[in-house]
Amino acid sequence: MSSSVRYSARTDLRRRQGRPEPDPAAQAEGLAALISLAQLLAPRTKRISPPARRTSGVAVIIPARDEGADLGDTLRSLARQTLRPDRIVVVVNNSTDGTADAALSYAATEGPVITDVLEMRGVNRHRKAGALNCGIRYLLRDGVLPPEIGYVLVMDGDTELEPHFLKRARRVIDRDRSLGGVSAACLGKPIQGGTPWRDFLLLVQRIEYGRFAATRLRHNVHTMSGAGSFYRAAALNDLLDVRPDVFEERESNLVEDYETTLALKMLGWRVTSNQGCIAYTDLMPTMRMLFAQRVRWARGTVDEWRRYGWCHATWLSIAGVILSVPETGYELLLGAVLMRAFISRGGYIDYHFLPLAALWSAYQGFSVRHMGWKVVIFEMALIPEAIFNLIRSYWLMRSVVASYLGGKRAWI
Amino acid sequence: MGYTSSGSVILAAAGGTYVVGSLAATVVVLVAGGAAAVILTSRRRRRDRLAIRRQA
């Protein structure tokens, strides 16, 4: 507790833990009475002492800013875990809605997990990284995570975990000692947009997340997802040996999860993802919000590449983007030529291209077959996905240019 | 004139062969790439499933 006060004067501990502190004297009296009663009633059989409560060694940190509507579901998804965390730390980051109240009301109930609520007030220039570090500092003892904390899960305040997430993530990380973290496979929350346009935006995002999770090839993945990252405490302690914070507190750090991933990789740790560790993340219902989110991701990623340079942690991702440039150019050129021929020749279609389109269509449909037949048909139509891909490519290219020309950074 | 006609036929045939050949090559590359992607993603999924199984 003292660590949070020492490191951040702006942080208040609003509640130490969810369960009320028991009175030791009353507890001892009650226990003695129970033992006497049990001795009277128990049959004369071999007595087996109850097993001690097993701890998972997992601590969870949830930075939350204006997540009052979703935070309760997030916390309940943690309570439903088949491997329960030992403690949860909610960092309420300058919220103006009922986030603090939602966290406190959960902490006050007789929940299965000890829940602490920290409240950051005033200016937090380092945004999410600042809130995450606030939660981590709260857990530190003598500058490192104590031995009883073997793993730290970092997740968003609007994300829900599949009930086996923690159990599976711990198995994955325990099998490979070189792993510093296991990232969630993110899927979109099943939310409704309310209008056809918003439904379309939500659908393309759901498809994007679903396909990304199902068609992953890499073991040592590009980045840990901020929506759900399960870290080995030893890896974070390694990081704390070489710098003051796990999440770098720098105003230009727009992608704190990716920066920390790169820092871990530079220390020799690997990170992976697993399709069985599922997190349901929030989707952007409007184009403006989606645009802001993606430009921040892309811009932040490019900025970090420029900081780290071409190295073993970055080269594969940079090469992927370089290869995507001619691919996007080819798509644009092909689309323009076909469109020109179609218009100038009165609806002309070159049937030579149909086999190519059929193959492309088949692969698109096949890659989303686990998402249901409606999504398969949507994907096999090709055009909507092609348009969304072009928009994403435009956002990426714009972010590359902005990074080099020093355009304004924005956070959402 | 006869020479020109023959040349046109040869050019047309060469052009046709080029178009058909390049399309066929593209189809082969796409099929091979698609098959490789399906195989590799299946292997990744299998490894993911193995990684979350209870240890023996």
Side-chain angles (χ1 to χ4, degrees):
Chain A
M1 178 177 168
S2 58
S3 61
S4 70
V5 176
R6 187 171 68 244
Y7 283 99
S8 172
R10 301 185 310 273
T11 307
D12 298 333
L13 175 65
R14 291 283 295 271
R15 187 175 180 86
R16 179 72 178 87
Q17 61 185 40
R19 297 173 187 192
E21 293 285 353
D23 177 0
Q27 207 174 24
E29 266 184 39
L31 191 63
L34 272 176
I35 291 169
S36 312
L37 189 64
Q39 282 172 342
L40 282 172
L41 298 176
R44 294 192 178 277
T45 55
K46 187 179 177 185
R47 205 170 285 153
I48 301 169
S49 56
R53 182 179 177 269
R54 292 174 66 184
T55 58
S56 61
V58 179
V60 182
I61 297 171
I62 307 174
R65 180 169 189 177
D66 293 338
E67 307 284 8
D70 297 315
L71 188 60
D73 291 337
T74 300
L75 291 165
R76 280 186 285 278
S77 82
L78 284 168
R80 285 194 299 268
Q81 289 295 305
T82 47
L83 177 75
R84 283 201 182 125
D86 292 341
R87 68 191 310 172
I88 300 170
V89 180
V90 182
V91 184
V92 180
N93 177 15
N94 288 294
S95 292
T96 52
D97 68 349
T99 303
D101 294 336
L104 286 167
S105 72
Y106 179 85
T109 58
E110 192 66 21
V113 185
I114 295 169
T115 304
D116 297 338
V117 181
L118 312 179
E119 195 162 357
M120 297 183 84
R121 290 182 183 139
V123 179
N124 171 20
R125 287 185 298 123
H126 304 114
R127 304 181 184 93
K128 192 172 169 185
L132 286 165
N133 288 329
C134 175
I136 290 174
R137 285 172 195 144
Y138 178 67
L139 297 173
L140 297 182
R141 197 184 304 146
D142 300 326
V144 293
L145 291 161
E148 64 267 23
I149 298 177
Y151 316 91
V152 175
L153 170 72
V154 167
M155 66 182 292
D156 286 345
D158 55 7
T159 296
E160 292 174 40
L161 300 182
E162 197 264 346
H164 300 297
F165 182 100
L166 287 179
K167 185 174 74 177
R168 291 173 174 174
R170 202 177 73 169
R171 279 184 189 163
V172 172
I173 212 166
D174 283 348
R175 277 171 186 252
D176 186 346
R177 298 179 72 83
S178 69
L179 285 178
V182 180
S183 175
C186 292
L187 298 179
K189 277 187 182 176
I191 52 177
Q192 299 293 319
T195 64
W197 171 244
R198 288 188 169 196
D199 283 339
F200 170 79
L201 278 181
L202 295 172
L203 177 65
V204 290
Q205 290 173 75
R206 260 197 294 276
I207 292 170
E208 181 188 26
Y209 280 115
R211 175 184 284 134
F212 188 75
T215 58
R216 179 177 60 88
L217 292 177
R218 292 170 68 175
H219 178 66
N220 194 14
V221 293
H222 164 76
T223 182
M224 300 282 284
S225 166
S229 296
F230 188 81
Y231 293 102
R232 190 190 296 275
L236 300 187
N237 281 338
D238 271 4
L239 210 48
L240 288 168
D241 276 347
V242 295
R243 67 189 205 184
D245 299 300
V246 169
F247 295 92
E248 198 175 40
E249 295 199 342
R250 170 169 44 87
E251 284 187 65
S252 59
N253 186 1
L254 296 179
V255 282
E256 77 298 325
D257 45 3
Y258 184 50
E259 198 284 328
T260 297
T261 304
L262 288 177
L264 286 173
K265 286 182 176 178
M266 296 303 283
L267 289 174
W269 291 97
R270 296 191 306 152
V271 297
T272 193
S273 179
N274 191 289
Q275 271 187 265
C277 302
I278 298 168
Y280 296 95
T281 190
D282 210 12
L283 303 173
M284 298 295 114
T286 67
M287 192 59 144
R288 182 188 295 268
M289 291 170 77
L290 182 62
F291 173 78
Q293 182 199 51
R294 296 310 168 90
V295 166
R296 175 174 73 80
W297 286 356
R299 171 68 191 275
T301 302
V302 175
D303 285 351
E304 295 313 317
W305 286 343
R306 294 183 62 204
R307 282 188 70 241
Y308 277 84
W310 182 274
C311 60
H312 77 272
T314 59
W315 76 268
L316 198 54
S317 303
I318 296 173
V321 169
I322 291 172
L323 285 174
S324 75
V325 173
E327 183 214 333
T328 306
Y330 174 77
E331 279 183 24
L332 279 173
L333 188 65
L334 181 64
V337 167
L338 292 178
M339 191 62 73
R340 183 170 176 270
F342 186 81
I343 293 169
S344 64
R345 297 192 196 179
Y348 170 78
I349 294 174
D350 189 340
Y351 291 100
H352 284 110
F353 288 104
L354 284 185
L356 300 182
L359 278 173
W360 187 9
S361 175
Y363 179 73
Q364 291 239 130
F366 186 78
S367 66
V368 294
R369 63 193 183 283
H370 58 287
M371 299 181 74
W373 64 272
K374 287 180 186 170
V375 173
V376 169
I377 289 173
F378 179 85
E379 283 296 280
M380 291 184 78
L382 293 182
I383 303 295
E385 178 75 18
I387 292 171
F388 186 56
N389 276 338
L390 281 177
I391 292 171
R392 283 192 316 181
S393 301
Y394 165 70
W395 291 340
L396 177 63
M397 295 309 153
R398 188 181 146 147
S399 300
V400 173
V401 172
S403 176
Y404 278 92
L405 297 183
K408 191 182 168 190
R409 294 180 179 90
W411 179 280
I412 183 171
Chain B
M1 188 68 179
Y3 174 78
T4 310
S5 299
S6 305
S8 301
V9 169
I10 290 167
L11 279 176
T17 307
Y18 172 75
V19 170
V20 172
S22 57
L23 275 173
T26 310
V27 168
V28 168
V29 168
L30 282 176
V31 169
V38 169
I39 292 167
L40 291 174
T41 51
S42 300
R43 283 180 60 187
R44 169 55 52 207
R45 273 198 295 277
R46 187 170 157 273
R47 287 180 183 174
D48 277 5
R49 278 198 301 275
L50 285 173
I52 60 176
R53 274 193 196 158
R54 186 185 296 278
Q55 280 172 315

